[in-house]
Amino acid sequence: MLCLETKKQWWGGFSVGWVKVVNKNPDSHILAHESGHQVQVALLGDLWIFVVGIASIIRYQIYEHNMNIRKPYDYAWFEGTASQIGHELYLKDYN
């Protein structure tokens, strides 16, 4: 898996197949979460873009532009499972 780091800070990241792009100096949660999306790609193959990818893009836009949302970002199943997979495989923990 390839990880590219941008010069922008504090925006998170995204995954496209086996490549993940993250903000400058990402924390372990962002790296684990995006790695979880990469595992989802491996499991779902071409269906990933329809089952997870598009939904994740929409979720991010809604979450970023609507600060009234009370539920955590990982509340959506496709985001929560990405974090859980990433934490269990790469950080060996998940709370």
Side-chain angles (χ1 to χ4, degrees):
M1 295 182 218
L2 180 63
C3 181
L4 303 174
E5 190 175 305
T6 68
K7 293 182 180 181
K8 291 179 85 177
Q9 291 198 20
W10 311 115
W11 64 274
F14 65 91
S15 300
V16 181
W18 292 105
V19 177
K20 64 183 165 211
V21 179
V22 295
N23 59 236
K24 185 177 183 178
N25 301 319
D27 63 24
S28 60
H29 175 75
I30 290 172
L31 291 172
H33 177 84
E34 294 307 328
S35 296
H37 278 310
Q38 291 178 304
V39 172
Q40 289 173 331
V41 169
L43 295 172
L44 296 171
D46 293 339
L47 290 176
W48 181 86
I49 192 65
F50 301 107
V51 176
V52 174
I54 293 170
S56 184
I57 291 167
I58 293 168
R59 170 81 171 152
Y60 177 80
Q61 292 301 316
I62 291 170
Y63 198 82
E64 280 297 303
H65 298 295
N66 185 354
M67 299 312 263
N68 294 329
I69 295 175
R70 300 282 186 241
K71 296 185 177 168
Y73 189 76
D74 283 349
Y75 181 77
W77 72 267
F78 44 87
E79 300 298 353
T81 56
S83 291
Q84 185 174 9
I85 291 167
H87 279 256
E88 289 179 1
L89 291 178
Y90 299 99
L91 300 178
K92 307 295 186 213
D93 73 338
Y94 187 74
N95 296 326

